[in-house]
Amino acid sequence: KQVLQTVNTSLHKFRVTFKLLLGALADFHPGNIVPYGRLQLVDRIALKHLSDMVLASQKACDNFEFYKGVSTMNRWANLEFSAFYMEAIKDRLYTLGEDSTSRRAAQTTLFYIYNHLQEALGPITPVLVEETWEHTPESIRTQSEHPLRRIVSAPAPEWQDIALDTTYQELTVVHSAIKTLQEQARSKKQLGSSLQSFVHLVLPSNSELFQLYLSELPDLFIVSSITLG
């Protein structure tokens, strides 16, 4: 029973992940794809994570180590996708103009995630993947082949930008510090939503990353504004 419960938990997580993706892609058409160079930093980080997950799971399946492949996908679905990427793009998906470049960039990233996740899970949970196809928006179905008939595709080489791993680590450290302070404020009943936060970061003078992407940081950290010192 304990073994089957673990499997059931994984399967439920993948179902919820597909449900999130299908909901976000309901009004998306492959003709709306935003080029990689115009994606936001968080989108490019998400594609790097996706690429790492796909390559690792493919290698595991090639070696018939399916448990390793599933473990890799589970970790990605829980951490990099749900806890990091979906949290960072909620406002872009649900509050910006339908055809705004920022929203379409987030949908482009989710479209890539959707396709690669179908292919990665195809040999492992084929019934679930079949079900996702039945609920895929018509605009995407007409431009795509059935996931169980596709030759599994490799992630785009441009997604494998090693520098993004360092960037992600830097952002995660700052994000953790912000969340810790927010939780302290909540415990004192000084704060409700994280969007009530106006954050001032004091950083070393060589922190060019934060200067470069200042306009994108509030979305990424889920706060109302970021200023630097």
Side-chain angles (χ1 to χ4, degrees):
K1 184 176 180 181
Q2 190 175 355
V3 172
L4 290 176
Q5 183 58 51
T6 304
V7 173
N8 182 61
T9 301
S10 295
L11 191 60
H12 179 70
K13 182 62 186 180
F14 292 137
R15 283 184 66 87
V16 170
T17 301
F18 275 127
K19 188 177 176 183
L20 281 170
L21 290 164
L22 284 166
L25 293 170
D27 67 333
F28 184 76
H29 187 282
N32 299 135
I33 282 177
V34 175
Y36 182 79
R38 293 174 61 198
L39 298 179
Q40 292 194 16
L41 175 63
V42 70
D43 304 325
R44 298 200 300 277
I45 290 173
L47 290 177
K48 175 63 168 67
H49 288 158
L50 174 68
S51 182
D52 291 344
M53 181 273 284
V54 168
L55 294 173
S57 61
Q58 284 179 355
K59 183 179 178 183
C61 289
D62 286 344
N63 294 329
F64 298 96
E65 295 177 314
F66 299 108
Y67 69 97
K68 280 189 181 177
V70 173
S71 175
T72 298
M73 286 186 265
N74 269 328
R75 192 169 57 252
W76 168 84
N78 284 306
L79 298 177
E80 285 111 357
F81 179 72
S82 293
F84 173 69
Y85 188 59
M86 280 306 292
E87 281 297 310
I89 63 168
K90 276 181 183 173
D91 282 355
R92 286 166 63 193
L93 279 178
Y94 303 125
T95 65
L96 297 183
E98 190 176 312
D99 280 319
S100 69
T101 303
S102 178
R103 183 170 181 271
R104 291 302 189 200
Q107 285 184 309
T108 296
T109 308
L110 294 174
F111 175 67
Y112 290 137
I113 290 171
Y114 183 56
N115 282 335
H116 279 286
L117 187 60
Q118 281 182 320
E119 293 174 9
L121 281 172
I124 296 163
T125 59
V127 176
L128 175 61
V129 172
E130 179 75 47
E131 191 181 0
T132 67
W133 180 250
E134 292 172 6
H135 291 85
T136 299
E138 196 63 30
S139 58
I140 295 175
R141 280 169 63 123
T142 55
Q143 303 291 317
S144 308
E145 192 175 10
H146 192 293
L148 299 180
R149 292 186 185 138
R150 288 183 217 148
I151 300 296
V152 175
S153 55
E158 62 186 351
W159 299 354
Q160 276 291 321
D161 182 354
I162 304 300
L164 290 172
D165 289 331
T166 306
T167 299
Y168 177 61
Q169 295 302 327
E170 287 187 45
L171 293 171
T172 302
V173 168
V174 174
H175 196 186
S176 296
I178 292 171
K179 286 170 84 171
T180 299
L181 289 168
Q182 286 174 333
E183 287 307 313
Q184 289 175 6
R186 280 195 187 95
S187 67
K188 297 174 184 173
K189 299 200 176 341
Q190 296 171 336
L191 180 72
S193 164
S194 62
L195 287 171
Q196 291 174 305
S197 307
F198 301 85
V199 179
H200 182 67
L201 300 176
V202 181
L203 299 158
S205 56
N206 61 352
S207 300
E208 294 177 6
L209 168 70
F210 293 87
Q211 291 281 3
L212 196 57
Y213 295 103
L214 182 59
S215 63
E216 297 179 21
L217 293 180
D219 274 349
L220 208 153
F221 295 145
I222 319 166
V223 297
S224 283
S225 73
I226 297 274
T227 52
L228 300 179

